[in-house]
Amino acid sequence: MNHPQLAYISFDVVPAPKGAATHIEAFVKALAKAFGQTKLITVSPTGEQCDRENNETQISHTALPAIGKTLIHRALHFRQQLKHQLQDRYFQAIHIRSIYEGFPIALNKSKYCDRLIFEVNGMPSIELKYRYPDVAGDRELMHKLLAQEQICLEAADLIITPATVTRDYLLSRAISPDKIRVIPNGVNTEIFTYSPNSSISTQIIYFGTLSSWQGVNLAARAIALLNPDIPAQLKVIGTGSKRQVQALKDLARKLGVPRNVTYLQPLPQNELVAAIHASDAIVAPLTLNDRNLVQGCCPLKVLEGMATGTPVIASDLPVVRELGRDREHFFLIKPNSVQEIADAIAYLRNHPSLREKIATTARRHIETHYTWEQAGTALISAYRKYWV
């Protein structure tokens, strides 16, 4: 394989059962299809460097180790490995997703590439405190994070972000609107197939991470509120630390519904879709906080759920509203309200015609506006404007 002229670098494990990995794979495939040989550099899940080449897709994938006790130590180790990987290499364009891999490149852009593309899905200065609460009071660390973010933002020739809320946040940081493009997430409709459930049981599903901004604890409390009048079941499928998983189990036990709230590790996508099809509703109870309201996001679980024929119950937030309309593409509820989650579950259970309407119109909406093919087309269009 000849030397690629495009590199996509991310401080993430790929493949992995997370939305970030799904997004990365979709974007890299689109870039390779449009521009030819593409270098993908990610984090190794084993701690050892791994190199793979796929001549058919024209993607050369190197997974670098990121070893350390803390996130910062892992990021610094990854940066060191990345420095060696990029030594004496030069690309027409490098695509980054965070400061963890992007900061050293932004500092020395002319050494590594002609164009720098910064894909902003989240900012450590906002998100890190939810994973490590103690850092919220560390002013020195917050200052460093903000400074490194700003350097990456200003060095970038093109900034891609999945939500208008995130775009507005970047504008508040004095970033020129001319170099920001909003490209929402997409769905693989061949994997997330349409199969509406006509049962009258109350099997509820949540899939995604157990991060506090997702509101999984609110869903568990809603299940307790419904029981015993409505014997609802909540199945939680996704990634979480041992502490997060134990906290969810402890909460269910405290609420008296330990058998009604179950947790499963991430499943292969075909098994996840089967679990969604066996459910009566999907919950996405995003909470009121700066991660969702200020930074913004494009909740992939909402989009993927909309494709399946299982109605989505989601928090009424701007990041959700920009994806569709209430009681047409999903069922919106007041954020942070356990009572409204419970009421929505009961309402959909008692109104099968509304469930059917949401299932049908949501699937059509995804096929029309939110596929990975459409996201890839928008990505290539942005590249051609700012790079070629």
Side-chain angles (χ1 to χ4, degrees):
M1 181 177 286
N2 295 329
H3 175 57
Q5 294 302 306
L6 170 62
Y8 191 116
I9 307 173
S10 181
F11 187 66
D12 289 281
V13 174
V14 178
K18 294 180 64 176
T22 299
H23 182 116
I24 291 165
E25 289 182 301
F27 270 21
V28 172
K29 287 178 182 177
L31 291 171
K33 184 177 180 181
F35 299 114
Q37 294 163 359
T38 300
K39 183 67 176 179
L40 172 63
I41 302 176
T42 62
V43 173
S44 169
T46 65
E48 299 290 335
Q49 180 171 330
C50 178
D51 296 281
R52 296 191 299 273
E53 291 192 5
N54 189 323
N55 292 323
E56 183 177 344
T57 63
Q58 300 193 79
I59 297 171
S60 172
H61 185 186
T62 295
L64 299 175
I67 300 171
K69 292 183 178 180
T70 69
L71 174 64
I72 301 301
H73 287 109
R74 291 191 292 274
L76 292 175
H77 187 264
F78 182 79
R79 285 180 179 179
Q80 189 64 32
Q81 302 302 308
L82 181 61
K83 180 180 179 180
H84 291 307
Q85 183 70 206
L86 296 180
Q87 189 170 2
D88 300 325
R89 304 283 298 271
Y90 192 84
F91 297 89
Q92 287 181 279
I94 292 181
H95 187 127
I96 60 173
R97 283 175 51 94
S98 75
I99 64 171
Y100 299 125
E101 74 280 353
F103 177 62
I105 297 171
L107 278 180
N108 301 279
K109 186 172 73 169
S110 61
K111 177 181 177 181
Y112 295 115
C113 60
D114 290 329
R115 296 287 185 270
L116 180 64
I117 295 87
F118 188 8
E119 183 186 328
V120 179
N121 293 278
M123 289 294 196
S125 62
I126 290 179
E127 291 195 352
L128 199 62
K129 60 181 177 288
Y130 294 103
R131 185 172 179 182
Y132 303 101
D134 290 344
V135 308
D138 191 331
R139 293 186 179 182
E140 182 179 355
L141 176 59
M142 286 298 117
H143 177 76
K144 288 181 179 179
L145 293 175
L146 284 165
Q148 292 189 20
E149 291 168 358
Q150 199 67 23
I151 287 170
C152 289
L153 290 169
E154 293 177 0
D157 299 283
L158 166 65
I159 296 173
I160 295 167
T161 191
T164 57
V165 172
T166 314
R167 178 202 62 194
D168 293 344
Y169 170 67
L170 297 177
L171 294 177
S172 75
R173 293 183 60 162
I175 301 304
S176 170
D178 295 336
K179 69 177 184 178
I180 303 175
R181 286 287 300 273
V182 176
I183 302 177
N185 283 327
V187 179
N188 185 333
T189 53
E190 293 182 1
I191 294 176
F192 287 85
T193 54
Y194 178 75
S195 180
N197 187 349
S198 60
S199 74
I200 57 171
S201 62
T202 312
Q203 302 293 322
I204 310 303
I205 191 169
Y206 168 86
F207 58 97
T209 71
L210 298 188
S211 301
S212 60
W213 62 69
Q214 301 284 10
V216 184
N217 62 317
L218 301 174
R221 291 182 183 278
I223 295 300
L225 198 60
L226 287 167
N227 280 274
D229 296 332
I230 298 177
Q233 303 282 329
L234 173 65
K235 182 176 291 185
V236 177
I237 302 174
T239 55
S241 65
K242 291 182 179 180
R243 178 184 58 80
Q244 290 170 328
V245 173
Q246 190 59 50
L248 177 64
K249 292 179 178 179
D250 290 344
L251 176 62
R253 190 178 302 108
K254 179 181 177 181
L255 295 170
V257 288
R259 296 183 179 180
N260 299 78
V261 178
T262 57
Y263 170 76
L264 295 175
Q265 292 286 340
L267 298 174
Q269 285 192 316
N270 62 323
E271 294 181 32
L272 171 62
V273 174
I276 294 172
H277 287 160
S279 303
D280 302 293
I282 299 161
V283 288
L286 294 166
T287 59
L288 293 169
N289 52 51
D290 57 354
R291 188 268 181 183
N292 294 328
L293 294 174
V294 178
Q295 172 191 278
C297 62
C298 183
L300 189 56
K301 67 175 63 59
V302 172
L303 293 175
E304 291 175 340
M306 288 166 63
T308 63
T310 301
V312 177
I313 298 169
S315 297
D316 188 358
L317 298 175
V319 293
V320 178
R321 275 200 174 270
E322 70 176 278
L323 302 179
R325 291 186 290 274
D326 185 23
R327 304 208 181 190
E328 185 172 345
H329 303 122
F330 33 56
F331 195 106
L332 296 183
I333 56 168
K334 181 180 179 181
N336 287 41
S337 173
V338 173
Q339 184 66 60
E340 289 221 1
I341 299 172
D343 289 346
I345 292 170
Y347 191 89
L348 287 174
R349 180 177 186 266
N350 296 328
H351 294 81
S353 60
L354 179 60
R355 285 166 47 195
E356 182 179 348
K357 173 190 173 184
I358 291 175
T360 302
T361 57
R363 173 68 183 198
R364 189 181 306 123
H365 190 60
I366 292 297
E367 291 175 333
T368 305
H369 299 288
Y370 293 103
T371 65
W372 281 121
E373 289 78 9
Q374 290 162 318
T377 299
L379 176 67
I380 300 313
S381 175
Y383 260 70
R384 292 195 189 282
K385 179 178 180 180
Y386 290 91
W387 173 31
V388 177

